[in-house]
Amino acid sequence: MSNIPETGRTPRVQNRLVMIQIVVFSLLLTLGGRLWYLQIRNGQEYTDEAKNNNTQQVVQPAVRGSILDARGIPLADNETRMVVSASRTELTKMKDRGKGVLTHLAGVLGLDPEDVVNGVRLCDAKTPKPCWNGSPYQPIPITDEATTDQVLEIREHAEQFPGITAEPTALRRYSGPDGANTSQVLGYLSPVTDEEITKAKGSDSPYLRSDQVGRSGLERTYDKELRGKAGITRYEVDNLGRIIGEGTHDKPQAGANIVTSIDSRVQAVAERELNNAMIEARRTIDKNNTGRHYEADSGAVVVMEAKTGRVVAMASNPTYDPNAWVGGISAKDYASLTDKESNYPLLNRAIQGQAAPGSVFKVVSSTAAVNAGYPFNKLYGCPSSYSVGSQVFTNFESQGYGDITIGKALEVSCDTVYYAIADKEWKKDGGIKPKAKPSDWFFRTAHEFGLGKRTGIDLPSEVPGRVPDRQWKKEFFEANKAAWCRDGKKDGSYAEKIAYENCRQGNQLREGDAINYSIGQGDTLVTPIQMASVYAAIANGGTLHQPSIGKAVVSADGSSVQEIAPKEQGKLPMNAKLRNDIDGALADVATTGSAAWRFGGWPQKQIPMHAKTGTAEVQGKQTTSWFASYTEDYAIVMTISQGGTGSGASGPAVRKIYEAMYGLDEKGNQDLKKALLPKPQAELPPVRQENQ
């Protein structure tokens, strides 16, 4: 074996050592640079973050403001309940993470132990409900329905319930004064969502995870004002989440109170009379159509101040108890409120219920006819039917009245007068091949009455209704032509025949469309709030107001009052003479016309009544009952889906509401001591201490 010289290995070893030194030096240089970046360049930023990571917030919810009626009576306020809560911080210190304590607590409260244990878990994408969506440092409510005996047992044996508290807490209450439910107007609350918290960041009214948010009605519209500002206490915690000190504390600021134009007494009467009218309709046989009892499946009524557009009462049926949402709604209750069989009681049909208006629309058609050049007091033929080719359009009850004026046509609700005028105007505009700029008096006038768009009432989710003019026809055709052409059959069912015709001519305003539209039929849709606004405008001389319910925002201590003034939206397209002519015709409806049999004995000279009945036909359903009316002070509109005729179903109920407001008996004698609201409430009420 040959010997390798020692000097042959030295250069290689030296090279390796140099390389290792370079690598080590590079690593040290990189580490030093990183340390400089973290400690010097961005040191303050990371120091601040470290401090924040060791600070946790505990929220003290603000007392939510009350919603008051026009007299200062609470419609929604707060009540103190004994709430049993668990401290997750304390429970997690226990060997079993508090399972034993929670199981024992469930036995005392009469709750399912599994639900109680699961209820203190923190919510995340993988954790099913029940779970806690708030801060882990916030007391987690177990129940808000603890009895006195249960609270005493928990407090007297506190050593058995470490981390458990039973404290009085303010919760929302919908008190129903005078028996007024007012559910769809008030709305309800539910916990804020993560999406809402993220969206509200950086705004002037951010959400906290503990917040309850208005989901519908006034609770939603005025949520920012009602919510107030929660108090926040900041705690220092160690890396295990244990509290080691208390930081700053911001006191909660109570929310403002909302004074409304609702009168709880009138609201209760409106709800009762609407419900009674629906019950009575279900006892009545539908002699004009099905031969069955009317279904009267839903309805709505609006009572509005004629001179301001403020809503005195608004009822929708079917209804629900808003207290079902307080403290968290049960799965059973939620299912019943959203189930098809319950007919969706969460809907406010006064602003979300759309239906063909029938003859209550004729005030629009009368105005359109006069503005188009047809004198109000000229004589027009009122035969029992009007024919176009092979198609026959009849009066609702096929009665003819000979030659009558437009005023008389309003009074007796003659359809054929309007058929003939609308047909002539359709032909003047070019018929099936319209002029470049057709006059479209009937459509134009409806838009000028505020129809086909939202009124702007201070309630969420209002729907716009529909004026089926030429533009709408084109848009509707484009959206549906594929389905019509696929499903239509020339000799098929009624629906298939309609689809076949729409496939061929659905983008055209046909003669029958114009004729049906003139009496509020066809594709026309309105809401009760829209028709109340229209009739209130006729009552006050022609001014359309934006309907409103909120009247003032009053701070919790009463020191600040921000009134919400009525807003004008425009003028009806009628001069004073035409307004007076229509006003007189509507008075005749109540005295000698289609509503006279319901207003016998009414003190017409003392309190002039103006009315219009409406019976809208709906394909495949029973007729919709409408009754629109006004006095000098108020407009009242009621509708009942599948309820029958306007005077038959809705008329008596509307009269009873007026009688309660004006203090009238059935013979028309007035007793002001019994009158609920003979004149609108003008002044704001004092906000009582208990409502703060």
Side-chain angles (χ1 to χ4, degrees), residues 346-361:
L346 293 178
L347 287 177
N348 183 349
R349 287 173 165 82
I351 65 170
Q352 295 173 298
Q354 302 181 108
S359 291
V360 296
F361 185 77

PDB file of all heavy atoms in Angstrom, residues 346-361:
ATOM      1  N   LEU A 346     -94.802  36.405   7.724  1.00  0.00           N
ATOM      2  CA  LEU A 346     -93.782  37.446   7.831  1.00  0.00           C
ATOM      3  C   LEU A 346     -93.957  38.535   6.785  1.00  0.00           C
ATOM      4  O   LEU A 346     -93.453  39.647   6.937  1.00  0.00           O
ATOM      5  CB  LEU A 346     -92.381  36.841   7.701  1.00  0.00           C
ATOM      6  CG  LEU A 346     -91.926  35.902   8.828  1.00  0.00           C
ATOM      7  CD1 LEU A 346     -90.548  35.339   8.527  1.00  0.00           C
ATOM      8  CD2 LEU A 346     -91.923  36.614  10.170  1.00  0.00           C
ATOM      9  N   LEU A 347     -94.677  38.246   5.705  1.00  0.00           N
ATOM     10  CA  LEU A 347     -94.912  39.240   4.665  1.00  0.00           C
ATOM     11  C   LEU A 347     -95.834  40.345   5.171  1.00  0.00           C
ATOM     12  O   LEU A 347     -96.862  40.070   5.793  1.00  0.00           O
ATOM     13  CB  LEU A 347     -95.551  38.597   3.431  1.00  0.00           C
ATOM     14  CG  LEU A 347     -94.659  37.725   2.547  1.00  0.00           C
ATOM     15  CD1 LEU A 347     -95.496  37.116   1.428  1.00  0.00           C
ATOM     16  CD2 LEU A 347     -93.521  38.536   1.966  1.00  0.00           C
ATOM     17  N   ASN A 348     -95.462  41.576   4.888  1.00  0.00           N
ATOM     18  CA  ASN A 348     -96.343  42.712   5.160  1.00  0.00           C
ATOM     19  C   ASN A 348     -97.114  42.997   3.872  1.00  0.00           C
ATOM     20  O   ASN A 348     -96.622  43.680   2.972  1.00  0.00           O
ATOM     21  CB  ASN A 348     -95.542  43.938   5.583  1.00  0.00           C
ATOM     22  CG  ASN A 348     -96.436  45.108   5.944  1.00  0.00           C
ATOM     23  OD1 ASN A 348     -97.641  45.101   5.696  1.00  0.00           O
ATOM     24  ND2 ASN A 348     -95.853  46.137   6.530  1.00  0.00           N
ATOM     25  N   ARG A 349     -98.312  42.471   3.780  1.00  0.00           N
ATOM     26  CA  ARG A 349     -99.066  42.564   2.532  1.00  0.00           C
ATOM     27  C   ARG A 349     -99.551  43.980   2.219  1.00  0.00           C
ATOM     28  O   ARG A 349    -100.005  44.242   1.109  1.00  0.00           O
ATOM     29  CB  ARG A 349    -100.227  41.565   2.567  1.00  0.00           C
ATOM     30  CG  ARG A 349     -99.740  40.124   2.404  1.00  0.00           C
ATOM     31  CD  ARG A 349    -100.826  39.097   2.604  1.00  0.00           C
ATOM     32  NE  ARG A 349    -100.407  37.790   2.108  1.00  0.00           N
ATOM     33  CZ  ARG A 349     -99.650  36.920   2.783  1.00  0.00           C
ATOM     34  NH1 ARG A 349     -99.235  37.235   4.005  1.00  0.00           N
ATOM     35  NH2 ARG A 349     -99.307  35.757   2.256  1.00  0.00           N
ATOM     36  N   ALA A 350     -99.452  44.875   3.174  1.00  0.00           N
ATOM     37  CA  ALA A 350     -99.807  46.267   2.892  1.00  0.00           C
ATOM     38  C   ALA A 350     -98.797  46.921   1.958  1.00  0.00           C
ATOM     39  O   ALA A 350     -99.138  47.838   1.208  1.00  0.00           O
ATOM     40  CB  ALA A 350     -99.902  47.066   4.194  1.00  0.00           C
ATOM     41  N   ILE A 351     -97.538  46.449   1.995  1.00  0.00           N
ATOM     42  CA  ILE A 351     -96.505  47.013   1.122  1.00  0.00           C
ATOM     43  C   ILE A 351     -95.881  45.971   0.207  1.00  0.00           C
ATOM     44  O   ILE A 351     -95.157  46.315  -0.731  1.00  0.00           O
ATOM     45  CB  ILE A 351     -95.384  47.699   1.937  1.00  0.00           C
ATOM     46  CG1 ILE A 351     -94.630  46.678   2.792  1.00  0.00           C
ATOM     47  CG2 ILE A 351     -95.950  48.814   2.799  1.00  0.00           C
ATOM     48  CD1 ILE A 351     -93.368  47.222   3.424  1.00  0.00           C
ATOM     49  N   GLN A 352     -96.159  44.683   0.457  1.00  0.00           N
ATOM     50  CA  GLN A 352     -95.556  43.613  -0.337  1.00  0.00           C
ATOM     51  C   GLN A 352     -96.588  42.767  -1.074  1.00  0.00           C
ATOM     52  O   GLN A 352     -96.208  41.913  -1.873  1.00  0.00           O
ATOM     53  CB  GLN A 352     -94.709  42.703   0.567  1.00  0.00           C
ATOM     54  CG  GLN A 352     -93.504  43.405   1.170  1.00  0.00           C
ATOM     55  CD  GLN A 352     -92.782  42.541   2.182  1.00  0.00           C
ATOM     56  OE1 GLN A 352     -93.344  42.157   3.201  1.00  0.00           O
ATOM     57  NE2 GLN A 352     -91.533  42.219   1.899  1.00  0.00           N
ATOM     58  N   GLY A 353     -97.856  42.988  -0.799  1.00  0.00           N
ATOM     59  CA  GLY A 353     -98.909  42.239  -1.466  1.00  0.00           C
ATOM     60  C   GLY A 353     -99.348  42.949  -2.738  1.00  0.00           C
ATOM     61  O   GLY A 353     -99.892  44.050  -2.674  1.00  0.00           O
ATOM     62  N   GLN A 354     -99.112  42.336  -3.885  1.00  0.00           N
ATOM     63  CA  GLN A 354     -99.483  42.931  -5.164  1.00  0.00           C
ATOM     64  C   GLN A 354    -100.690  42.204  -5.738  1.00  0.00           C
ATOM     65  O   GLN A 354    -100.729  40.977  -5.743  1.00  0.00           O
ATOM     66  CB  GLN A 354     -98.322  42.844  -6.161  1.00  0.00           C
ATOM     67  CG  GLN A 354     -97.045  43.499  -5.696  1.00  0.00           C
ATOM     68  CD  GLN A 354     -95.947  43.397  -6.744  1.00  0.00           C
ATOM     69  OE1 GLN A 354     -95.591  44.379  -7.370  1.00  0.00           O
ATOM     70  NE2 GLN A 354     -95.390  42.220  -6.937  1.00  0.00           N
ATOM     71  N   ALA A 355    -101.646  42.964  -6.235  1.00  0.00           N
ATOM     72  CA  ALA A 355    -102.834  42.367  -6.836  1.00  0.00           C
ATOM     73  C   ALA A 355    -103.432  43.328  -7.852  1.00  0.00           C
ATOM     74  O   ALA A 355    -103.176  44.537  -7.801  1.00  0.00           O
ATOM     75  CB  ALA A 355    -103.877  42.037  -5.760  1.00  0.00           C
ATOM     76  N   ALA A 356    -104.206  42.793  -8.768  1.00  0.00           N
ATOM     77  CA  ALA A 356    -104.954  43.653  -9.683  1.00  0.00           C
ATOM     78  C   ALA A 356    -105.935  44.479  -8.859  1.00  0.00           C
ATOM     79  O   ALA A 356    -106.599  43.948  -7.974  1.00  0.00           O
ATOM     80  CB  ALA A 356    -105.692  42.803 -10.709  1.00  0.00           C
ATOM     81  N   PRO A 357    -106.049  45.784  -9.122  1.00  0.00           N
ATOM     82  CA  PRO A 357    -106.882  46.643  -8.276  1.00  0.00           C
ATOM     83  C   PRO A 357    -108.365  46.621  -8.608  1.00  0.00           C
ATOM     84  O   PRO A 357    -109.176  47.078  -7.808  1.00  0.00           O
ATOM     85  CB  PRO A 357    -106.302  48.034  -8.521  1.00  0.00           C
ATOM     86  CG  PRO A 357    -105.785  47.962  -9.924  1.00  0.00           C
ATOM     87  CD  PRO A 357    -105.269  46.562 -10.105  1.00  0.00           C
ATOM     88  N   GLY A 358    -108.720  46.135  -9.792  1.00  0.00           N
ATOM     89  CA  GLY A 358    -110.128  46.189 -10.162  1.00  0.00           C
ATOM     90  C   GLY A 358    -110.620  47.623 -10.240  1.00  0.00           C
ATOM     91  O   GLY A 358    -109.888  48.540 -10.617  1.00  0.00           O
ATOM     92  N   SER A 359    -111.855  47.836  -9.824  1.00  0.00           N
ATOM     93  CA  SER A 359    -112.504  49.129 -10.056  1.00  0.00           C
ATOM     94  C   SER A 359    -111.990  50.268  -9.194  1.00  0.00           C
ATOM     95  O   SER A 359    -112.282  51.434  -9.484  1.00  0.00           O
ATOM     96  CB  SER A 359    -114.021  48.980  -9.871  1.00  0.00           C
ATOM     97  OG  SER A 359    -114.557  48.187 -10.918  1.00  0.00           O
ATOM     98  N   VAL A 360    -111.218  50.001  -8.127  1.00  0.00           N
ATOM     99  CA  VAL A 360    -110.647  51.124  -7.374  1.00  0.00           C
ATOM    100  C   VAL A 360    -109.629  51.872  -8.240  1.00  0.00           C
ATOM    101  O   VAL A 360    -109.252  52.996  -7.937  1.00  0.00           O
ATOM    102  CB  VAL A 360    -109.995  50.668  -6.047  1.00  0.00           C
ATOM    103  CG1 VAL A 360    -111.031  50.076  -5.109  1.00  0.00           C
ATOM    104  CG2 VAL A 360    -108.851  49.698  -6.285  1.00  0.00           C
ATOM    105  N   PHE A 361    -109.221  51.252  -9.342  1.00  0.00           N
ATOM    106  CA  PHE A 361    -108.300  51.870 -10.299  1.00  0.00           C
ATOM    107  C   PHE A 361    -109.009  52.901 -11.184  1.00  0.00           C
ATOM    108  O   PHE A 361    -108.354  53.703 -11.861  1.00  0.00           O
ATOM    109  CB  PHE A 361    -107.699  50.762 -11.176  1.00  0.00           C
ATOM    110  CG  PHE A 361    -106.645  51.205 -12.145  1.00  0.00           C
ATOM    111  CD1 PHE A 361    -105.353  51.477 -11.733  1.00  0.00           C
ATOM    112  CD2 PHE A 361    -106.941  51.331 -13.496  1.00  0.00           C
ATOM    113  CE1 PHE A 361    -104.373  51.866 -12.644  1.00  0.00           C
ATOM    114  CE2 PHE A 361    -105.969  51.715 -14.413  1.00  0.00           C
ATOM    115  CZ  PHE A 361    -104.683  51.985 -13.980  1.00  0.00           C
TER     116      PHE A 361
END
